[in-house]
Structures are given as structure tokens and as C-alpha cells.
């Protein structure tokens, strides 16, 4: 394998691992068959011969076999250890012993850490101990709920390596309960963790320091050093600057203010807030510069930095991106020390292969994927993009080239995992990354170190960093305030991502080919390009290393100017270049220049005199011009296609989201309109006097569940948000929705609960210029020709003389109730309506007043939810029922049979006994009933009596607490149902 054998080997290894990761069973078998069948064509295309073919086949098979072998061994040993099934173990009380194997995170009333269990015993009944007395080796997540404020200090005193004995309950990690939702159980499995232990109170945890050789724990020392440095940062910087600088300098991303992190995330700047390759590069370059000032020899300096890089990787937290950068730097330093040629592509291939050998699950890590993709992309794509900035000043051109390349390469992975991309990320990265990495990061680091020596000077430097931080925060906040730049993308397929990179590369390559010679122009050779490290008058230069398969390096020099030194086996530079190399070597900055080339191999082409000359310039033929045009159109069309919200033509979808104890339903009409009914919410029962329990980033169902699901499904905007009433478990999550998703109209019952959070929600709607509609009985909203929402409750109320939104503490009785008729089906949404409201609605239907209210609103169209596409009609079934039931009003409900049963009833109040009366259920006679309730909720929802009444009317019952998200697809009156956790006979694969 000529050229880059390690690159090809690593690529085939990745293909084998990726296939094993994506496919299972027979699909994996046929995938391997297909790969072997296509191998001859691939070999012919790559011009590979002899033993190289066998080596690549071994690489592919090795990646596949290693993944399968590792995955097959990744299972819990608890069921075999306890002789019980997983379902039986889940929730049992246990006493465990083991070792603390991570740092302890204390946040409000919760402390969390990882523990390696060596002993586990079960408790069944009172003081009855059962279980295996043997040894077990199981890694678990421990969550301790702190009961008193002083327990925060107790939990913070636990250190990695401590021996623990604790009592709690062992539970399975949460799984994904919505289609496309985050699967915590699967994530922990990639960390080789299968169980969680939940502990009540720090008093249930007994910790003791290690003894003997157990005290020698590098990671324990590292944690202490990180805490020491973190406390130094806290002394210098107030919040939110302290958390920001700790993330920037030490990699303590969890200490960053959630609001600040969210602002940076929206602009694609989160790579700055966590230790990444940039930080390692600054660290290596700074160390080499310092050592050059100390007049140390070149070999000594390289050796010292080579030893210190692993220390920095550990000190910064050891994320995959840092490990990648550290390994590449160490390989580069070693090769520089040995006088070997350095090839960035070969080095990154070695780093990837070593990391995957150590842990194949790195392949699934977002940080790993982004770090390697962007780094390799800068090496391969940036020489092509450089030519776009030929006329710019060199310093600006280099920064622009790096920014554009990094954004183009990271774009597919960004929308794959985060489903959003800001067009301003190009500007933000161009303006801020250089400022932060080249000024703020060194300034903050020096201030932190000086704080242990001379605090006044450290505070001065910290003050300067704070002023720059304020400028950064203001810039980020201002850019985020500009509307229309954040684009929401549905999750793309892996095939689309692969096509994106291929088309982008070919398109850039064709655009780069312009009239010129077949050979690249003469390129100035800098010190970092030399093969030998003793820069003498003879000098030397590495042979033209290639940065992409089949193309020559931009650092290759005019072949006529090179003479081979036979006795030295080195290539000599012409006199002028040798003199320049000697001059560079004699300056204090030569080591820093070397450091930059080692730590930033991906940026090398951006800082050469003509990095784009890396590729030969060939005259573009007419055929290639046409091909370039076709690819440009295809690229744009592919982006447009990927941006569209996926939906079957002519099909409506009703998605009952599982958001725990609350309600949230997403309705997508056949015409592509999106309506969100309620947004769930997190109910807090704490008081202000227990403020210590408040977590830094508390769980909020709107921000953590609803908004990510909307983005993942490509919901660019919501045509309507309907909040049935102001209770927190229905309206609380909508705050995050209004802040992050464009909304065209906000529909509610016209009242407020008087509580701060709902008033804040209304204020947010007003600030964002979202029209508010107070609906009542008789109003109709028709988003498209096949969909209509008929509002049958609450009843019309008189005007408020104060002009303010009325305050009603009992919101359940005033819930918005509407009948959805879509694509030939009918579904009734009931909010938290109570039995008394149900009786009133039945009265109104039977005596015809409900139909009359619809007719009145037809005459008073100004009081309806209306726009250019909204029509107001009286439902045909309502007219018929009104005629049948007129003049039959009495003190008791006399049920008038409907002409036909509705298809789906959204059961009121999560199945509470205060709703879903027998008369109500008999009247609607629903074919199916949907109950939204939380797993093991404290209210006992759904009530057993309600379940019996639903069964009595013959409704098929769907429950989110048992089935997860329930999706109903509607077309031509037919409804197909699929559930996330339970597969139905009429649904497809999950």
C-alpha cells in the first residue's frame, strides 16, 4: 500500500466497526456479503495490489470482529449473581460495597458519582438479608438525594478511590420513551454501566479513605488538582465568569452557567467551552516557546513537552477530543525528536486506530466524531477552500479559511445530533474563536497560575479577561437576538451525510481547477516542513507529503532545486532556503513554530504562502464545468431536501408524547401544519426557604424533552400552540417552546392561574409578537382543508371591565376542550376537565345551545381564531344532535346517542376519578382512549374505576406510562397506531 497505508488500514477498520454497529443478525450477514462483493471494484479504483489487499480485508474483519466481541461481553452480571431476572431486580433495596471511581458532582440536593461494586446484598422484608456472598465486578451510577444542606459538604468530601458502603435501591436507567428521544440506558451501556443505585441521604453512605497502595491513585490526585485550580479561578472571577473560565481553562463544563452555555450552543461555539484540540495546541506551543526562552536544547524541550502532554490531558478531564489532540501531539513530538517526517493524515489515523482499539464505543461518542471529522476535514478540504480567499489579507484569509472549512465539515454532524444550525455561526466563529483562544485563554491561564504566587497581579489579568468576556457575552447575546438565522433541521440519514461530504469534496476540487500549470507553483518551505531537526547550512526538507489520497502536498518544492546528499541520505535545500531555515532555527521562536506545526497539523495549509497549491492546477474542460454546475445544483437540492419536514403525503399524524405526569400532543395535519397541544411541565413542591436544593441546571421537561423532539422531527414553526389550561403540568414546558420554536398563534382559555410562571409565559408570547386568542365554546380553527378544530368548552364569558386577563384559580374546570376532525377521523381533546364540566357540555349539546354558539360565531367572525386560511363552520353532527335533543334539558343528563362513535378520546385529567363520568364516556362512545400519565406517579393515575368505565364502553386503551409515546397516523378515515415501548400488530418497526 503505497502513499498512506495507515490511513487505508484505519478507514477499513472504521468501516468494519461501523457496519457491526449499525447492523445486526441477518442484516449484518448480508451487509458483509455486499461489502465483499464490492471489494474488487474498490480495489481496482484504489489501485491496490498484492499483500495490501489481504491487509485491508484483515482490517475490515478486525474492526467488525472487535466490535461484535466487545459488544457481546458488555452485559450486566447482576441477574446471574443474584439468580433473579432483570425485571425482578429493578427497584429492589440493596446494600453495596465498592470503590468510588469518578469525581463527585454535587448539584443542589443531588450528588452523583460512579462506583465499582465488589459486593452486593439484597434486603427483602424486615431485616432479612439475602444474596450471593461472592465477589462481583459491576460499574454503576450512584445518585444520592441530599436531605440537609450540610450534606452537600459531606458529599463533596468523597474522593475517587474511597471505599464505600451504602444502602439504596437498584434501578434500571431510563430508556427512550419517545421516538427519537434520548436513550439514557443505551448511552450508559456505551460506558459499560447497566444499573443505577438511588440513595436517600448522605447518612446512607459510609466512605473511608484508601489504605496502602490504594493511596497511589493518579486520577485521585488529578481530581484534587482540578479542584485546587477551580478554587483559584473562583477567587479571581465572579459568576458567570468563574464557571465560564473553568470550562475554558480546566474543562469543567458542568460549572458553566446553563444560560451562557445555551447561548454559545446556538451559535456553534460550544467547542470553545470544553477542552479541545485548540487548547492542547495552545498548551504545547506555549510550553515550547517557554522552553526556548529558557535556552534548553531542542531535544530536551521536545522530551519535556512529550512527558507533560499526558498530564494536561488528565488535568483537563480526558474527553475524547482532548485524547485525540494529546495523542496527535505526542506522536508529532516523538517524530520531531527522532527526525522523522510528519504527515497529519497518518498521525490522525494512528490516533483514531489506537483509541478504537482501546474502546470501540468511542465511535458512538459525539466528541470523538466531531473532533476527528473536523481535524481530518481541515487537512483535506482546507487546501481547496484557501483559493476562495486568495485576494484577502493573509492573516484574515487564514482565519476565514479555517472557519469556513470547520463549519462546513461539522455541519452534518451538528444537525444529526442537535438539529439546529445558525447561519451566524460562521461570523461568530470568525470573530470570537481567535479572540478567545489566542487572548482570553492564555490570559486566564496565566492569571490562574499567578494567583498562587502574586494575587494582585493575577486579579489585574483576571479583570482584563472579564472585560473581554463581557464583550464576548454581549456579542453572543446580540447575535442570538437577531431573528431568522437559526435553522431547525430534521435528523438526516447517514447516507445523506456521506453524500454531502463526497459532493462537497468533488465540487470544491472542480472549482479549484482553473487555468494554470500542471505542477503546483513554488512554495516557500518553512521550518516545520523539514525532515531532519538539526537545521544546519545544508538544511533538509521532507519529501512532498500528501494531505489527501492521490494529491501532492503544498509543501513539495521545485524538484530541480533539490539535491540528494548521498552520504547523509537527506534532501538539501537551495542556498537561499537553507539560509532562511538556519535563521529560523536560530531565533527564539523556532521551537514555538515547531510546536504550532505539531499541535495544529490540520491548519498547516492555511498559513503557507499558497496553501491551495497543495492540489495541482489543471485547466477545467467544458465537461468538467458542466459537471461542476450539476454538482452545485445537486448540493443545493440536497440541502433543501434535507431541510424539509418529513411527512407522508396526505396523512395526518397525532403524536401523544410521553413527558411524564403531564400532557403534550403534537398534531401534524395532512396539509403540513403543526399544532402543539400543551407542553407538559415539571411540578416543583419546594419552597424558597430550601433554596439550597435548587440545582444549577434543573430538569425541565419543555427544554429537555419537548423542544428536542420538535427539533428532531424538523418542526420549523408551530402554526398554533394550544394550552388547555394554566396548570404547570400542561403549560410549564411551553416557556422553552416559545423561546426556541417560532409560533404563529397562541390559543388558551382566556384566563390565568395568577401564578408567576404562567404570567411569564403570556408575557413571552407578547414580547415575541405572537397573537393571543382566548377561545370559547362555538369557535372553530381550520388550519387546512382536511382539518378542523371545534371548541366546545369553556363557555363564553362576558368582557372583563378591567381589560386584564381574569384570574381563575381552579383551571381544570375551564380547560379548553375541542373535537379534532382530520382526514376522515375524529378525536376529542379534553384537557383536565371535570365531571361537572362534562355534564354542562352534554347539556349544551342536547338542548342545541352548543350548535347555536357556533352559528353565533359565524355571524361574529371577529371573535374567532381566524386568518386567511381559517373558515368557521358548524359541524354537521352538531346540527343533527341539536335537532334531536332540543327541549330535552333537565336536572339530570339524558344521553342522546351520537350518530356515530368518535375514533379517539383523550381521557381527561390523566385518568383521574374526578373526570370521565359514565354518561360522558357513553355519549362519545370512543373506539380508542388515550391516557397520558407518568410512570409510578404519586396520584395513582389512571384511576381503576375510570379504567373499568372505559372498558365497559369497549374503548381500546393506550397509556403513555406503559407504552411510551403513542403515534396515530390518519389517512382516509383509517388510523394506524404505533407505540414506542410496545409493538402493536398494526404498526411498523420502531
Amino acid at each position: 500500500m503505497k502513499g498512506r497505508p495507515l490511513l487505508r488500514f484505519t478507514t477499513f477498520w472504521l468501516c468494519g466497526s461501523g457496519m457491526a454497529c449499525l447492523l445486526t443478525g441477518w442484516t449484518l450477514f448480508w451487509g458483509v456479503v455486499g461489502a465483499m462483493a464490492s471489494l474488487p471494484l474498490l480495489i481496482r479504483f484504489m489501485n491496490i495490489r498484492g499483500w495490501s489487499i489481504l491487509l485491508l480485508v484483515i482490517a475490515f474483519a478486525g474492526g467488525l470482529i472487535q466490535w461484535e466481541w466487545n459488544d457481546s461481553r458488555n452485559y450486566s452480571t447482576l441477574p446471574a449473581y443474584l439468580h433473579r431476572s432483570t425485571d425482578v431486580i429493578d427497584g429492589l433495596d440493596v446494600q453495596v460495597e465498592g470503590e468510588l471511581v469518578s469525581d463527585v458532582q454535587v448539584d443542589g440536593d443531588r450528588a452523583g458519582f460512579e462506583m465499582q461494586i465488589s459486593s452486593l446484598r439484597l434486603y427483602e422484608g424486615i431485616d432479612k438479608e439475602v444474596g450471593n456472598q461472592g465477589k462481583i465486578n459491576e460499574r454503576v451510577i450512584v445518585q444520592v438525594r441530599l436531605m440537609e444542606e450540610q450534606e452537600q459538604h459531606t458529599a463533596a468530601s468523597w474522593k475517587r478511590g474511597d471505599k464505600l458502603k451504602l444502602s439504596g435501591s437498584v434501578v434500571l436507567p431510563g430508556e427512550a420513551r419517545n421516538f427519537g428521544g434520548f436513550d439514557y440506558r443505551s448511552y450508559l451501556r456505551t460506558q459499560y454501566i447497566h444499573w443505577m443505585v438511588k440513595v436517600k441521604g448522605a447518612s446512607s453512605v459510609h466512605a473511608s479513605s484508601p489504605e496502602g497502595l490504594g493511596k497511589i491513585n493518579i486520577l485521585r490526585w488529578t481530581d484534587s488538582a482540578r479542584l485546587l485550580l477551580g478554587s483559584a479561578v473562583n477567587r479571581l472571577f465572579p459568576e458567570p465568569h468563574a464557571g465560564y473560565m473553568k470550562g475554558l481553562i480546566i474543562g469543567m463544563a458542568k460549572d458553566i452557567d446553563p444560560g451562557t452555555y445555551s447561548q454559545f450552543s446556538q451559535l456553534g461555539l460550544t467547542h470553545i467551552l470544553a477542552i479541545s484540540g485548540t487548547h492542547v495546541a495552545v498548551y504545547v506551543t506555549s510550553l515550547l516557546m517557554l522552553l526556548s526562552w529558557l535556552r534548553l536544547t531542542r531535544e530536551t524541550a521536545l522530551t519535556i513537552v512529550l512527558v507533560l502532554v499526558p498530564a494536561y490531558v488528565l488535568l483537563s478531564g480526558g474527553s475524547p477530543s482532548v485524547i485525540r489532540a494529546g495523542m496527535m501531539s505526542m506522536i508529532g513530538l516523538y517524530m520531531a525528536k527522532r527526525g522523522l517526517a510528519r504527515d497529519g493524515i497518518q498521525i490522525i489515523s494512528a490516533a483514531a486506530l489506537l483509541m478504537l482499539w482501546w474502546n470501540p464505543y468511542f465511535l458512538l461518542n459525539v466528541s470523538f466524531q466531531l473532533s476527528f471529522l473536523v481535524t481530518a476535514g481541515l487537512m483535506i478540504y482546507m487546501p481547496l477552500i484557501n483559493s476562495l480567499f486568495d485576494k484577502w489579507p493573509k492573516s484574515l484569509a487564514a482565519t476565514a479559511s479555517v472557519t469556513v472549512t470547520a463549519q462546513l465539515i461539522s455541519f452534518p454532524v451538528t444537525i444529526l445530533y442537535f438539529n439546529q444550525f445558525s447561519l451566524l455561526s460562521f461570523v461568530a466563529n470568525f470573530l470570537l474563536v481567535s479572540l478567545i483562544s489566542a487572548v482570553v485563554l492564555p490570559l486566564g491561564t496565566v492569571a490562574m497560575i499567578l494567583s498562587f504566587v502574586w494575587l494582585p497581579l493575577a486579579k489585574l489579568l483576571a479583570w482584563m479577561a472579564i472585560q473581554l468576556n463581557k464583550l464576548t457575552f454581549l456579542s453572543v447575546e446580540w447575535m442570538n437576538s437577531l431573528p431568522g438565522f437559526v435553522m431547525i433541521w430534521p435528523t438526516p440519514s447517514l447516507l445523506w451525510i456521506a453524500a454531502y461530504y463526497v459532493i462537497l469534496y468533488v465540487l470544491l476540487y472542480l472549482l479549484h481547477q482553473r487555468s494554470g500549470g500542471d505542477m503546483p507553483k513554488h512554495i516557500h518551505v518553512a521550518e516545520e516542513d523539514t525532515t531532519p531537526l538539526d537545521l544546519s547550512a545544508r538544511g533538509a526538507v521532507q519529501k512532498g507529503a500528501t494531505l489527501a489520497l492521490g494529491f501532492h502536498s503544498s509543501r513539495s518544492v521545485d524538484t530541480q532545486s533539490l539535491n540528494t546528499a548521498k552520504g547523509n541520505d537527506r534532501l538539501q535545500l537551495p542556498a537561499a532556503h537553507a539560509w532562511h531555515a538556519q535563521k529560523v532555527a536560530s531565533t527564539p521562536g523556532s521551537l514555538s513554530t515547531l510546536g504550532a506545526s505539531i499541535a495544529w497539523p490540520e491548519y498547516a495549509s492555511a498559513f503557507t504562502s499558497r496553501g491551495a497549491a497543495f492540489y495541482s492546477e489543471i485547466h477545467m474542460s467544458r465537461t468538467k464545468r458542466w459537471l461542476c454546475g450539476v454538482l452545485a445544483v445537486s448540493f443545493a437540492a440536497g440541502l433543501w431536501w434535507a431541510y424539509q419536514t418529513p411527512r407522508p403525503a396526505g396523512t395526518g399524524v397525532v403524536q401523544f408524547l410521553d413527558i411524564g405526569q403531564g400532557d403534550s400532543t403534537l398534531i401534524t395535519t395532512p396539509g403540513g401544519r403543526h399544532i402543539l397541544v400543551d407542553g407538559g411541565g415539571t411540578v416543583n413542591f419546594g419552597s424558597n426557604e430550601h433554596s439550597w436544593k435548587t440545582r444549577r441546571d434543573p430538569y425541565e421537561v419543555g427544554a429537555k424533552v419537548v423542544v428536542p423532539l420538535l427539533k428532531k422531527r424538523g418542526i420549523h414553526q408551530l402554526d398554533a400552540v394550544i394550552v388547555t389550561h394554566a396548570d404547570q403540568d400542561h403549560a410549564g414546558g411551553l416557556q422553552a417552546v416559545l423561546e426556541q420554536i417560532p409560533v404563529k398563534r397562541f390559543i388558551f382559555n382566556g384566563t390565568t392561574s395568577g401564578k408567576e410562571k404562567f404570567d411569564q409565559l403570556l408575557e413571552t408570547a407578547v414580547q415575541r409578537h405572537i397573537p393571543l386568542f382566548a377561545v370559547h365554546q362555538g369557535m372553530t380553527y381550520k388550519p387546512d382543508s382536511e382539518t378542523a378544530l371545534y371548541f366546545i368548552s369553556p363557555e363564553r364569558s362576558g368582557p372583563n371591565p378591567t381589560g386584564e386577563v381574569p384570574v381563575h384559580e381552579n383551571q381544570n374546570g375551564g380547560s379548553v376542550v375541542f373535537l379534532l376532525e382530520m382526514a376522515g377521523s375524529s378525536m376529542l381533546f379534553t384537557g383536565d376537565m371535570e365531571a361537572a364540566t362534562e355534564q354542562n357540555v352534554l347539556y349544551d349539546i342536547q338542548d342545541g345551545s352548543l350548535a347555536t354558539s357556533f352559528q353565533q360565531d359565524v355571524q361574529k367572525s371577529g371573535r374567532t381564531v381566524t386568518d386567511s386560511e381559517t373558515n368557521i363552520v358548524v359541524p354537521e353532527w352538531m346540527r343533527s344532535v341539536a335537532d334531536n335533543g332540543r327541549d330535552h334539558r333537565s336536572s339530570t343528563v339524558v344521553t342522546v346517542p351520537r350518530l356515530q362513535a368518535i375514533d379517539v378520546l383523550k381521557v381527561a385529567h390523566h385518568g383521574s376519578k374526578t373526570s370521565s363520568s359514565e354518561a360522558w364516556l357513553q355519549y362519545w362512545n370512543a373506539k380508542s382512549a388515550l391516557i397520558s400519565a407518568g410512570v409510578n406517579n404519586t396520584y395513582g393515575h389512571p384511576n381503576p374505576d375510570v379504567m373499568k368505565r372505559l372498558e365497559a364502553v369497549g374503548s381500546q386503551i393506550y397509556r403513555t406510562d406503559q407504552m411510551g409515546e403513542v403515534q396515530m397516523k390518519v389517512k382516509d378515515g383509517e388510523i394506524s397506531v404505533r407505540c414506542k415501548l410496545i409493538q402493536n400488530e398494526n404498526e411498523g418497526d420502531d
Side-chain angles (χ1 to χ4, degrees):
M1 290 186 293
K2 297 180 180 180
R4 289 191 170 93
L6 189 56
L7 169 62
R8 292 176 176 176
F9 187 91
T10 303
T11 302
F12 274 71
W13 187 281
L14 283 169
C15 290
S17 296
M19 181 173 290
C21 172
L22 296 173
L23 306 178
T24 57
W26 281 104
T27 56
L28 177 59
F29 172 78
W30 289 113
V32 173
V33 171
M36 292 299 101
S38 61
L39 185 61
L41 295 176
L42 186 61
I43 290 173
R44 182 178 179 86
F45 174 77
M46 299 178 65
N47 193 25
I48 303 174
R49 299 176 183 176
W51 288 99
S52 299
I53 299 175
L54 178 60
L55 195 59
L56 294 182
V57 172
I58 292 175
F60 178 82
L64 189 149
I65 293 171
Q66 187 214 20
W67 182 280
E68 289 294 322
W69 178 78
N70 181 76
D71 202 56
S72 65
R73 297 173 65 250
N74 185 13
Y75 59 87
S76 173
T77 58
L78 272 187
Y81 179 80
L82 297 174
H83 308 292
R84 286 168 171 79
S85 67
T86 298
D87 293 337
V88 173
I89 297 174
D90 187 19
L92 292 180
D93 292 331
V94 296
Q95 184 182 78
V96 297
E97 297 180 16
E99 180 181 344
L100 200 161
V101 292
S102 73
D103 60 337
V104 180
Q105 296 291 331
V106 180
D107 186 14
D109 64 344
R110 174 179 291 181
F113 53 86
E114 295 179 17
M115 178 180 179
Q116 194 76 29
I117 295 178
S118 59
S119 172
L120 183 145
R121 290 183 291 274
L122 298 179
Y123 287 93
E124 295 182 352
I126 300 177
D127 298 331
K128 182 181 178 182
E129 182 179 307
V130 298
N132 197 321
Q133 300 299 316
K135 292 290 183 179
I136 185 175
N137 189 23
E138 182 96 14
R139 196 182 188 98
V140 298
I141 290 285
V142 179
Q143 289 184 350
V144 183
R145 184 181 176 185
L146 307 178
M147 310 306 295
E148 302 291 341
E149 186 173 3
Q150 58 266 27
E151 290 186 352
Q152 288 183 330
H153 303 286
T154 303
S157 67
W158 302 332
K159 306 295 182 184
R160 193 194 303 255
D162 284 353
K163 302 300 180 181
L164 300 181
K165 184 176 181 180
L166 53 86
S167 300
S169 59
V170 58
V171 297
L172 286 169
E175 58 185 331
R177 302 186 60 86
N178 295 280
F179 293 99
F182 176 66
D183 195 327
Y184 188 50
R185 185 178 301 178
S186 296
Y187 166 75
L188 287 183
R189 187 176 182 275
T190 65
Q191 310 300 311
Y192 303 95
I193 297 173
H194 305 276
W195 294 94
M196 300 174 64
V197 178
K198 295 192 174 182
V199 180
K200 186 175 182 180
S203 59
S204 300
V205 181
H206 303 281
S208 59
S209 300
E211 299 178 353
L213 294 178
K215 295 181 179 180
I216 305 175
N217 189 326
I218 295 178
L219 296 180
R220 182 184 178 96
W221 299 341
T222 302
D223 291 341
S224 299
R226 284 168 59 84
L227 288 175
L228 179 64
L229 295 177
S231 63
V233 174
N234 287 331
R235 288 197 303 268
L236 296 173
F237 298 91
E239 289 294 349
H241 302 279
Y244 172 75
M245 295 304 293
K246 281 193 285 186
L248 189 65
I249 301 172
I250 321 172
M252 293 182 171
K254 292 184 179 180
D255 290 338
I256 300 173
D257 176 69
T260 302
Y261 190 88
S262 177
Q263 293 273 356
F264 275 68
S265 176
Q266 188 163 306
L267 287 174
L269 292 169
T270 50
H271 60 94
I272 288 295
L273 301 180
I275 300 294
S276 62
T278 301
H279 300 72
V280 177
V282 171
Y283 174 75
V284 170
T285 305
S286 301
L287 278 179
L288 287 175
M289 183 182 300
L290 176 63
L291 295 175
S292 70
W293 288 343
L294 295 177
R295 301 295 183 181
L296 295 180
T297 65
R298 184 188 191 87
E299 287 71 19
T300 302
L302 291 173
T303 302
I304 292 174
V305 177
L306 183 63
V307 173
L308 291 179
V309 167
Y312 182 75
V313 171
L314 289 174
L315 196 63
S316 60
S319 68
S321 61
V322 181
I323 296 174
R324 189 274 308 163
M327 292 182 68
M328 289 185 65
S329 296
M330 291 177 66
I331 294 172
L333 288 166
Y334 175 79
M335 297 180 73
K337 189 173 184 296
R338 294 293 303 272
L340 302 175
R342 300 185 306 279
D343 182 351
I345 286 290
Q346 291 282 78
I347 293 175
I348 195 175
S349 299
L353 199 59
L354 290 172
M355 290 181 69
L356 290 176
W357 282 351
W358 174 258
N359 183 3
Y361 288 140
F362 273 138
L363 188 61
L364 300 177
N365 187 281
V366 182
S367 176
F368 177 92
Q369 294 172 10
L370 278 172
S371 181
F372 276 93
L373 273 174
V374 172
T375 304
L378 287 168
M379 296 178 187
I380 298 171
Y381 288 78
M382 191 162 61
L384 298 172
I385 292 178
N386 283 344
S387 59
L388 301 177
F389 303 98
D390 276 347
K391 297 181 180 179
W392 288 39
K394 185 176 180 181
S395 57
L396 292 179
T399 304
S401 182
V402 170
T403 300
V404 171
T405 306
Q407 293 302 305
L408 288 176
I409 298 301
S410 63
F411 167 72
V413 181
T414 300
I415 65 173
L416 174 66
Y417 290 106
F418 307 108
N419 299 103
Q420 70 176 24
F421 183 81
S422 175
L423 297 177
L424 290 175
S425 64
F426 292 94
V427 178
N429 278 271
F430 179 79
L431 296 177
L432 299 179
V433 169
S434 297
L435 171 67
I436 296 172
S437 59
V439 181
V440 177
L441 174 60
L443 201 61
T445 304
V446 173
M448 179 187 68
I449 297 173
L450 277 178
S451 67
F452 296 100
V453 181
W454 190 11
L455 188 60
L457 180 58
K459 287 187 175 181
L460 176 62
L461 296 178
W463 178 85
M464 296 170 61
I466 288 173
Q467 305 313 307
L468 293 175
N469 289 345
K470 290 179 178 180
L471 176 63
T472 301
F473 294 165
L474 285 175
S475 301
V476 170
E477 185 177 357
W478 176 75
M479 282 188 276
N480 279 324
S481 67
L482 299 176
F485 287 98
V486 177
M487 304 178 69
I488 297 173
W489 295 74
T491 302
S493 66
L494 296 180
L495 181 62
W496 182 89
I497 293 176
Y500 171 93
Y501 286 121
V502 171
I503 294 176
L504 178 63
Y505 179 85
V506 177
L507 181 60
L508 289 174
Y509 177 66
L510 291 176
L511 288 174
H512 170 72
Q513 288 188 353
R514 62 190 72 169
S515 58
D518 290 342
M519 292 295 295
K521 295 183 179 181
H522 179 76
I523 300 301
H524 167 69
V525 181
E527 182 273 339
E528 65 265 27
D529 304 312
T530 58
T531 299
L533 293 175
D534 55 335
L535 293 176
S536 61
R538 292 177 300 179
V541 60
Q542 71 175 27
K543 295 182 180 180
T546 54
L547 297 184
L549 287 173
F551 300 100
H552 294 289
S553 170
S554 61
R555 306 183 194 91
S556 54
V557 297
D558 189 346
T559 54
Q560 295 180 356
S561 66
L562 298 177
N563 299 308
T564 305
K566 296 180 180 180
N568 202 16
D569 193 26
R570 291 176 177 174
L571 295 177
Q572 291 186 335
L573 285 170
H577 295 299
W579 174 85
H580 177 79
Q582 186 181 28
K583 180 180 178 181
V584 172
S586 65
T587 61
S590 60
L591 272 178
S592 61
T593 304
L594 174 63
S597 70
I598 291 173
W600 277 307
E602 62 270 30
Y603 296 156
S605 67
F607 298 98
T608 58
S609 59
R610 188 184 174 92
F614 161 70
Y615 294 88
S616 299
E617 293 184 345
I618 305 172
H619 178 72
M620 183 183 292
S621 64
R622 180 174 297 180
T623 302
K624 289 185 176 181
R625 290 178 182 177
W626 276 100
L627 178 59
C628 185
V630 171
L631 287 175
V633 173
S634 300
F635 189 74
L639 290 175
W640 176 85
W641 179 80
Y643 182 71
Q644 303 306 305
T645 303
R647 61 182 180 88
T651 302
V653 185
V654 180
Q655 304 160 63
F656 298 95
L657 306 180
D658 182 359
I659 44 85
Q661 185 63 18
D663 271 9
S664 186
T665 306
L666 177 63
I667 302 171
T668 299
T669 70
R673 301 306 178 94
H674 305 290
I675 303 168
L676 183 66
V677 183
D678 291 331
T682 305
V683 180
N684 297 316
F685 299 100
S687 59
N688 294 331
E689 56 190 47
H690 295 112
S691 59
W692 67 271
K693 293 185 176 182
T694 303
R695 296 172 189 169
R696 190 177 190 89
D697 187 15
Y699 177 83
E700 204 290 302
V701 71
K704 302 295 186 181
V705 180
V706 179
V707 169
L709 287 176
L710 293 176
K711 291 181 177 180
K712 189 167 285 291
R713 296 171 191 188
I715 307 300
H716 304 135
Q717 72 170 7
L718 291 166
D719 294 271
V721 164
I722 302 175
V723 53
T724 57
H725 60 295
D727 283 356
Q728 181 68 10
D729 60 336
H730 289 250
L734 293 177
Q735 182 67 37
V737 173
L738 264 59
E739 290 176 351
Q740 300 189 49
I741 308 291
V743 176
K744 294 183 69 174
R745 54 184 64 80
F746 185 92
I747 301 173
F748 71 122
N749 63 5
T751 68
T752 176
S753 60
K755 296 181 179 179
E756 180 182 358
K757 290 188 176 180
F758 190 75
D759 290 343
Q760 181 185 358
L761 179 65
L762 295 179
E763 183 65 25
T764 301
V766 172
Q767 291 175 354
R768 294 180 177 269
H769 307 289
I770 302 173
L772 272 62
F773 295 91
V775 295
H776 55 73
Q777 185 181 91
M779 299 178 72
T780 303
Y781 171 46
K782 194 171 184 182
D784 62 30
S785 59
E786 294 190 64
T787 309
L789 283 70
Y790 302 105
F791 295 93
I792 61 178
S793 187
E795 295 182 348
R796 185 196 305 268
S797 59
N800 188 357
T802 64
E804 298 180 353
V805 179
V807 177
H808 289 178
E809 294 184 2
N810 180 19
Q811 285 284 311
N812 290 345
S815 292
V816 173
V817 181
F818 64 91
L819 182 72
L820 168 68
E821 291 190 350
M822 181 174 67
S825 69
S826 56
M827 303 183 185
L828 184 67
F829 290 77
T830 55
D832 277 0
M833 71 184 307
E834 298 173 334
T837 308
E838 295 172 353
Q839 187 179 43
N840 291 336
V841 171
L842 291 179
Y843 277 142
D844 292 339
I845 293 175
Q846 291 169 14
D847 68 4
S849 59
L850 182 58
T852 301
S853 66
F854 275 90
Q855 292 170 350
Q856 290 175 349
D857 269 312
V858 170
Q859 299 170 359
K860 300 178 181 180
S861 58
R863 298 178 59 84
T864 61
V865 183
T866 178
D867 63 8
S868 59
E869 300 178 8
T870 301
N871 298 316
I872 307 166
V873 294
V874 179
E876 185 63 33
W877 65 267
M878 203 168 289
R879 292 199 191 101
S880 303
V881 171
D883 294 339
N884 191 12
R886 197 177 302 281
D887 299 329
H888 289 284
R889 186 170 182 134
S890 62
S891 59
T892 58
V893 174
V894 180
T895 304
V896 178
R898 280 177 46 80
L899 299 180
Q900 60 182 5
I902 63 171
D903 294 298
V904 180
L905 170 66
K906 172 67 175 59
V907 178
H909 205 173
H910 323 290
S912 169
K913 64 181 179 181
T914 61
S915 307
S916 304
S917 61
E918 184 177 356
W920 178 259
L921 298 180
Q922 287 179 353
Y923 174 76
W924 296 105
N925 191 27
K927 299 176 184 177
S928 301
L930 189 288
I931 301 175
S932 179
V935 179
N936 300 324
N937 64 84
T938 58
Y939 305 97
H941 295 159
N943 184 267
D945 293 336
V946 173
M947 296 294 291
K948 292 179 181 178
R949 292 198 289 269
L950 288 170
E951 293 170 357
V953 298
S955 297
Q956 182 175 357
I957 302 173
Y958 297 93
R959 297 173 52 175
T960 59
D961 61 331
Q962 295 180 349
M963 303 176 179
E965 179 188 354
V966 179
Q967 289 187 356
M968 298 184 179
K969 294 185 177 181
V970 184
K971 187 172 184 179
D972 299 329
E974 298 293 328
I975 300 178
S976 61
V977 182
R978 70 168 185 165
C979 307
K980 174 59 181 173
L981 302 182
I982 300 177
Q983 213 175 42
N984 300 307
E985 63 276 2
N986 59 340
E987 71 169 283
D989 295 337
D990 289 357

